[in-house]
PDB file of all heavy atoms in Angstrom:
ATOM      1  N   VAL Q 708      45.910  81.429 -72.217  1.00 83.00           N
ATOM      2  CA  VAL Q 708      46.463  81.398 -70.876  1.00 83.00           C
ATOM      3  C   VAL Q 708      47.444  80.258 -70.831  1.00 83.00           C
ATOM      4  O   VAL Q 708      47.078  79.089 -70.890  1.00 83.00           O
ATOM      5  CB  VAL Q 708      45.366  81.227 -69.821  1.00 83.00           C
ATOM      6  CG1 VAL Q 708      45.981  81.203 -68.422  1.00 83.00           C
ATOM      7  CG2 VAL Q 708      44.338  82.357 -69.931  1.00 83.00           C
ATOM      8  N   LEU Q 731      40.982  81.272 -73.549  1.00 95.00           N
ATOM      9  CA  LEU Q 731      39.935  81.892 -72.729  1.00 95.00           C
ATOM     10  C   LEU Q 731      39.178  82.941 -73.525  1.00 95.00           C
ATOM     11  O   LEU Q 731      39.798  83.827 -74.148  1.00 95.00           O
ATOM     12  CB  LEU Q 731      40.546  82.529 -71.477  1.00 95.00           C
ATOM     13  CG  LEU Q 731      39.642  83.441 -70.637  1.00 95.00           C
ATOM     14  CD1 LEU Q 731      38.504  82.630 -70.004  1.00 95.00           C
ATOM     15  CD2 LEU Q 731      40.460  84.152 -69.562  1.00 95.00           C
ATOM     16  N   TYR Q 746      37.071  90.907 -66.398  1.00 93.00           N
ATOM     17  CA  TYR Q 746      36.827  89.474 -66.212  1.00 93.00           C
ATOM     18  C   TYR Q 746      37.907  88.637 -66.903  1.00 93.00           C
ATOM     19  O   TYR Q 746      38.242  87.546 -66.418  1.00 93.00           O
ATOM     20  CB  TYR Q 746      35.443  89.091 -66.723  1.00 93.00           C
ATOM     21  CG  TYR Q 746      34.382  89.212 -65.630  1.00 93.00           C
ATOM     22  CD1 TYR Q 746      33.456  90.262 -65.651  1.00 93.00           C
ATOM     23  CD2 TYR Q 746      34.307  88.284 -64.599  1.00 93.00           C
ATOM     24  CE1 TYR Q 746      32.495  90.396 -64.670  1.00 93.00           C
ATOM     25  CE2 TYR Q 746      33.349  88.400 -63.605  1.00 93.00           C
ATOM     26  CZ  TYR Q 746      32.443  89.456 -63.643  1.00 93.00           C
ATOM     27  OH  TYR Q 746      31.486  89.569 -62.655  1.00 93.00           O
ATOM     28  N   TYR Q 747      38.423  89.105 -68.034  1.00 93.00           N
ATOM     29  CA  TYR Q 747      39.533  88.404 -68.666  1.00 93.00           C
ATOM     30  C   TYR Q 747      40.694  88.292 -67.684  1.00 93.00           C
ATOM     31  O   TYR Q 747      41.294  87.209 -67.521  1.00 93.00           O
ATOM     32  CB  TYR Q 747      39.999  89.143 -69.911  1.00 93.00           C
ATOM     33  CG  TYR Q 747      39.453  88.594 -71.205  1.00 93.00           C
ATOM     34  CD1 TYR Q 747      38.595  89.353 -71.993  1.00 93.00           C
ATOM     35  CD2 TYR Q 747      39.825  87.330 -71.660  1.00 93.00           C
ATOM     36  CE1 TYR Q 747      38.103  88.856 -73.208  1.00 93.00           C
ATOM     37  CE2 TYR Q 747      39.350  86.817 -72.856  1.00 93.00           C
ATOM     38  CZ  TYR Q 747      38.488  87.603 -73.622  1.00 93.00           C
ATOM     39  OH  TYR Q 747      37.997  87.112 -74.795  1.00 93.00           O
ATOM     40  N   GLU Q 748      41.011  89.386 -67.041  1.00 94.00           N
ATOM     41  CA  GLU Q 748      42.166  89.424 -66.150  1.00 94.00           C
ATOM     42  C   GLU Q 748      41.959  88.461 -64.982  1.00 94.00           C
ATOM     43  O   GLU Q 748      42.832  87.645 -64.647  1.00 94.00           O
ATOM     44  CB  GLU Q 748      42.372  90.845 -65.623  1.00 94.00           C
ATOM     45  CG  GLU Q 748      43.718  91.106 -65.013  1.00 94.00           C
ATOM     46  CD  GLU Q 748      44.839  91.117 -66.055  1.00 94.00           C
ATOM     47  OE1 GLU Q 748      44.596  91.557 -67.212  1.00 94.00           O
ATOM     48  OE2 GLU Q 748      45.943  90.669 -65.706  1.00 94.00           O
ATOM     49  N   THR Q 749      40.791  88.523 -64.338  1.00 95.00           N
ATOM     50  CA  THR Q 749      40.540  87.700 -63.165  1.00 95.00           C
ATOM     51  C   THR Q 749      40.423  86.215 -63.533  1.00 95.00           C
ATOM     52  O   THR Q 749      41.008  85.351 -62.867  1.00 95.00           O
ATOM     53  CB  THR Q 749      39.254  88.151 -62.443  1.00 95.00           C
ATOM     54  OG1 THR Q 749      39.368  89.542 -62.143  1.00 95.00           O
ATOM     55  CG2 THR Q 749      39.049  87.381 -61.176  1.00 95.00           C
ATOM     56  N   ALA Q 750      39.670  85.929 -64.601  1.00 96.00           N
ATOM     57  CA  ALA Q 750      39.486  84.529 -64.990  1.00 96.00           C
ATOM     58  C   ALA Q 750      40.813  83.886 -65.388  1.00 96.00           C
ATOM     59  O   ALA Q 750      41.091  82.719 -65.038  1.00 96.00           O
ATOM     60  CB  ALA Q 750      38.496  84.423 -66.139  1.00 96.00           C
ATOM     61  N   ALA Q 751      41.652  84.619 -66.091  1.00 95.00           N
ATOM     62  CA  ALA Q 751      42.959  84.080 -66.481  1.00 95.00           C
ATOM     63  C   ALA Q 751      43.798  83.779 -65.251  1.00 95.00           C
ATOM     64  O   ALA Q 751      44.494  82.734 -65.187  1.00 95.00           O
ATOM     65  CB  ALA Q 751      43.674  85.064 -67.414  1.00 95.00           C
ATOM     66  N   ASP Q 752      43.769  84.664 -64.278  1.00 95.00           N
ATOM     67  CA  ASP Q 752      44.549  84.444 -63.057  1.00 95.00           C
ATOM     68  C   ASP Q 752      44.043  83.227 -62.292  1.00 95.00           C
ATOM     69  O   ASP Q 752      44.826  82.402 -61.789  1.00 95.00           O
ATOM     70  CB  ASP Q 752      44.466  85.688 -62.185  1.00 95.00           C
ATOM     71  CG  ASP Q 752      45.447  85.664 -61.022  1.00 95.00           C
ATOM     72  OD1 ASP Q 752      46.609  85.282 -61.265  1.00 95.00           O
ATOM     73  OD2 ASP Q 752      45.060  86.013 -59.891  1.00 95.00           O
ATOM     74  N   ILE Q 753      42.719  83.074 -62.214  1.00 96.00           N
ATOM     75  CA  ILE Q 753      42.131  81.916 -61.504  1.00 96.00           C
ATOM     76  C   ILE Q 753      42.510  80.609 -62.209  1.00 96.00           C
ATOM     77  O   ILE Q 753      42.938  79.633 -61.570  1.00 96.00           O
ATOM     78  CB  ILE Q 753      40.616  82.058 -61.396  1.00 96.00           C
ATOM     79  CG1 ILE Q 753      40.251  83.258 -60.518  1.00 96.00           C
ATOM     80  CG2 ILE Q 753      39.986  80.778 -60.848  1.00 96.00           C
ATOM     81  CD1 ILE Q 753      38.782  83.614 -60.510  1.00 96.00           C
ATOM     82  N   LEU Q 754      42.332  80.559 -63.518  1.00 96.00           N
ATOM     83  CA  LEU Q 754      42.636  79.344 -64.261  1.00 96.00           C
ATOM     84  C   LEU Q 754      44.114  78.957 -64.085  1.00 96.00           C
ATOM     85  O   LEU Q 754      44.437  77.780 -63.882  1.00 96.00           O
ATOM     86  CB  LEU Q 754      42.312  79.531 -65.736  1.00 96.00           C
ATOM     87  CG  LEU Q 754      40.826  79.640 -66.103  1.00 96.00           C
ATOM     88  CD1 LEU Q 754      40.666  80.040 -67.584  1.00 96.00           C
ATOM     89  CD2 LEU Q 754      40.102  78.328 -65.841  1.00 96.00           C
ATOM     90  N   GLY Q 755      44.995  79.952 -64.181  1.00 94.00           N
ATOM     91  CA  GLY Q 755      46.402  79.646 -64.006  1.00 94.00           C
ATOM     92  C   GLY Q 755      46.733  79.139 -62.617  1.00 94.00           C
ATOM     93  O   GLY Q 755      47.537  78.225 -62.448  1.00 94.00           O
ATOM     94  N   PHE Q 756      46.097  79.742 -61.592  1.00 95.00           N
ATOM     95  CA  PHE Q 756      46.364  79.316 -60.206  1.00 95.00           C
ATOM     96  C   PHE Q 756      45.876  77.891 -59.974  1.00 95.00           C
ATOM     97  O   PHE Q 756      46.607  77.062 -59.386  1.00 95.00           O
ATOM     98  CB  PHE Q 756      45.653  80.279 -59.248  1.00 95.00           C
ATOM     99  CG  PHE Q 756      45.734  79.856 -57.816  1.00 95.00           C
ATOM    100  CD1 PHE Q 756      46.956  79.878 -57.130  1.00 95.00           C
ATOM    101  CD2 PHE Q 756      44.597  79.439 -57.138  1.00 95.00           C
ATOM    102  CE1 PHE Q 756      47.034  79.480 -55.792  1.00 95.00           C
ATOM    103  CE2 PHE Q 756      44.665  79.039 -55.803  1.00 95.00           C
ATOM    104  CZ  PHE Q 756      45.886  79.052 -55.133  1.00 95.00           C
ATOM    105  N   TYR Q 757      44.680  77.577 -60.422  1.00 96.00           N
ATOM    106  CA  TYR Q 757      44.169  76.218 -60.233  1.00 96.00           C
ATOM    107  C   TYR Q 757      45.041  75.201 -60.976  1.00 96.00           C
ATOM    108  O   TYR Q 757      45.303  74.100 -60.473  1.00 96.00           O
ATOM    109  CB  TYR Q 757      42.737  76.108 -60.724  1.00 96.00           C
ATOM    110  CG  TYR Q 757      41.723  76.844 -59.873  1.00 96.00           C
ATOM    111  CD1 TYR Q 757      40.440  77.093 -60.324  1.00 96.00           C
ATOM    112  CD2 TYR Q 757      42.039  77.289 -58.596  1.00 96.00           C
ATOM    113  CE1 TYR Q 757      39.502  77.769 -59.560  1.00 96.00           C
ATOM    114  CE2 TYR Q 757      41.133  77.962 -57.808  1.00 96.00           C
ATOM    115  CZ  TYR Q 757      39.842  78.209 -58.296  1.00 96.00           C
ATOM    116  OH  TYR Q 757      38.924  78.849 -57.523  1.00 96.00           O
ATOM    117  N   ALA Q 758      45.451  75.533 -62.175  1.00 94.00           N
ATOM    118  CA  ALA Q 758      46.283  74.617 -62.940  1.00 94.00           C
ATOM    119  C   ALA Q 758      47.614  74.367 -62.238  1.00 94.00           C
ATOM    120  O   ALA Q 758      48.152  73.255 -62.293  1.00 94.00           O
ATOM    121  CB  ALA Q 758      46.522  75.170 -64.344  1.00 94.00           C
ATOM    122  N   LEU Q 823      34.683  78.494 -61.777  1.00 97.00           N
ATOM    123  CA  LEU Q 823      35.810  78.028 -62.581  1.00 97.00           C
ATOM    124  C   LEU Q 823      36.420  76.757 -61.993  1.00 97.00           C
ATOM    125  O   LEU Q 823      36.905  75.900 -62.742  1.00 97.00           O
ATOM    126  CB  LEU Q 823      36.876  79.120 -62.687  1.00 97.00           C
ATOM    127  CG  LEU Q 823      36.758  79.992 -63.959  1.00 97.00           C
ATOM    128  CD1 LEU Q 823      35.419  80.709 -64.029  1.00 97.00           C
ATOM    129  CD2 LEU Q 823      37.898  80.983 -64.041  1.00 97.00           C
ATOM    130  N   TYR Q 854      42.087  80.414 -53.608  1.00 97.00           N
ATOM    131  CA  TYR Q 854      42.356  81.545 -54.489  1.00 97.00           C
ATOM    132  C   TYR Q 854      42.216  82.866 -53.734  1.00 97.00           C
ATOM    133  O   TYR Q 854      42.931  83.821 -54.016  1.00 97.00           O
ATOM    134  CB  TYR Q 854      41.425  81.532 -55.691  1.00 97.00           C
ATOM    135  CG  TYR Q 854      41.694  82.700 -56.626  1.00 97.00           C
ATOM    136  CD1 TYR Q 854      42.861  82.735 -57.385  1.00 97.00           C
ATOM    137  CD2 TYR Q 854      40.796  83.780 -56.704  1.00 97.00           C
ATOM    138  CE1 TYR Q 854      43.133  83.811 -58.220  1.00 97.00           C
ATOM    139  CE2 TYR Q 854      41.073  84.849 -57.531  1.00 97.00           C
ATOM    140  CZ  TYR Q 854      42.243  84.875 -58.275  1.00 97.00           C
ATOM    141  OH  TYR Q 854      42.520  85.956 -59.090  1.00 97.00           O
ATOM    142  N   HIS Q 857      45.451  83.333 -52.182  1.00 95.00           N
ATOM    143  CA  HIS Q 857      46.449  83.659 -53.204  1.00 95.00           C
ATOM    144  C   HIS Q 857      46.327  85.099 -53.676  1.00 95.00           C
ATOM    145  O   HIS Q 857      47.335  85.787 -53.836  1.00 95.00           O
ATOM    146  CB  HIS Q 857      46.265  82.701 -54.383  1.00 95.00           C
ATOM    147  CG  HIS Q 857      47.024  83.076 -55.615  1.00 95.00           C
ATOM    148  ND1 HIS Q 857      48.387  82.912 -55.731  1.00 95.00           N
ATOM    149  CD2 HIS Q 857      46.594  83.613 -56.795  1.00 95.00           C
ATOM    150  CE1 HIS Q 857      48.766  83.330 -56.926  1.00 95.00           C
ATOM    151  NE2 HIS Q 857      47.729  83.756 -57.593  1.00 95.00           N
ATOM    152  N   ARG Q 858      45.099  85.549 -53.856  1.00 94.00           N
ATOM    153  CA  ARG Q 858      44.876  86.890 -54.437  1.00 94.00           C
ATOM    154  C   ARG Q 858      44.803  87.981 -53.383  1.00 94.00           C
ATOM    155  O   ARG Q 858      45.306  89.092 -53.590  1.00 94.00           O
ATOM    156  CB  ARG Q 858      43.579  86.863 -55.259  1.00 94.00           C
ATOM    157  CG  ARG Q 858      43.208  88.164 -55.950  1.00 94.00           C
ATOM    158  CD  ARG Q 858      44.142  88.445 -57.123  1.00 94.00           C
ATOM    159  NE  ARG Q 858      43.756  89.661 -57.828  1.00 94.00           N
ATOM    160  CZ  ARG Q 858      42.948  89.687 -58.892  1.00 94.00           C
ATOM    161  NH1 ARG Q 858      42.415  88.547 -59.339  1.00 94.00           N
ATOM    162  NH2 ARG Q 858      42.658  90.822 -59.489  1.00 94.00           N
TER     163      ARG Q 858
END
Side-chain angles (χ1 to χ4, degrees):
V708 180
L731 169 65
Y746 271 106
Y747 261 115
E748 197 69 34
T749 304
D752 191 43
I753 294 172
L754 291 171
F756 174 68
Y757 290 165
L823 266 60
Y854 180 70
H857 168 75
R858 182 71 177 267

